[in-house]
């Protein structure tokens, strides 16, 4: 059974940094797209960054480009989201999600493609 466990969320001031972790287990796909999504109160969930496990190719939402970096540590099956220059509008519950496919420019943030989700970790950025 695929399990995803997020950690690293915290409360920080604007301009600060956080590193989120997503520990993944139980999957057997040769290619896995793991993505970070976030959902702010009263807003729809949105994709932030994605990475394919076997290629290492990454994708970012416009809001994340230049500030966030997604990476992976294959030995530990962990995906990270390094977030720098945090803004109050980054405040949200951050989820990681996994699916048995390669992330692509068109499918990377299609929620229906991801069959497995974590419980989320809260990020709060104060001004």
């Amino acid at each position: 059974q695929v399990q995803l466990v997020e950690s690293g969320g915290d409360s920080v001031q604007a301009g600060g940094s956080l590193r989120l972790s997503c520990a993944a287990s139980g999957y057997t796909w040769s290619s896995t797209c793991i993505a970070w999504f976030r959902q702010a109160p009263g807003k729809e969930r949105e994709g932030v960054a994605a990475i394919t496990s076997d290629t290492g190719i990454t994708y970012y939402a416009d809001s994340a480009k230049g500030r966030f970096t997604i990476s992976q540590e294959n030995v530990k099956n962990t995906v990270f989201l390094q977030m720098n220059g945090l803004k109050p509008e980054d405040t949200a519950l951050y989820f990681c999600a996994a699916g048995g496919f390669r992330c692509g420019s068109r499918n990377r943030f299609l929620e229906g493609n991801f069959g497995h989700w974590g419980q989320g970790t809260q990020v709060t950025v104060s001004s």
Side-chain angles (χ1 to χ4, degrees):
Q1 184 176 357
V2 177
Q3 287 190 322
L4 303 171
V5 180
E6 304 96 334
S7 62
D10 206 343
S11 297
V12 297
Q13 290 191 331
S17 299
L18 284 174
R19 189 175 82 155
L20 306 183
S21 299
C22 173
S25 62
Y27 64 87
T28 58
W29 310 304
S30 57
S31 296
T32 305
C33 180
I34 296 183
W36 285 97
F37 289 80
R38 67 185 183 185
Q39 187 166 22
K43 294 188 177 181
E44 293 186 354
R45 190 159 54 187
E46 62 175 357
V48 176
I51 188 168
T52 298
S53 59
D54 58 340
T55 65
I57 295 175
T58 58
Y59 296 90
Y60 296 93
D62 288 343
S63 59
K65 289 178 182 177
R67 299 188 301 129
F68 295 0
T69 303
I70 189 170
S71 61
Q72 61 184 351
E73 186 175 325
N74 287 338
V75 174
K76 295 185 178 180
N77 286 341
T78 302
V79 172
F80 303 100
L81 184 67
Q82 177 68 43
M83 304 187 295
N84 299 327
L86 284 163
K87 305 174 182 179
E89 51 264 43
D90 294 318
T91 295
L93 187 61
Y94 284 71
F95 301 89
C96 66
F101 61 96
R102 284 183 174 168
C103 311
S105 59
R106 295 184 178 182
N107 67 4
R108 65 200 186 282
F109 297 141
L110 293 179
E111 294 186 29
N113 289 346
F114 294 90
H116 304 279
W117 294 78
Q119 294 299 307
T121 186
Q122 179 67 38
V123 172
T124 303
V125 185
S126 58
S127 58

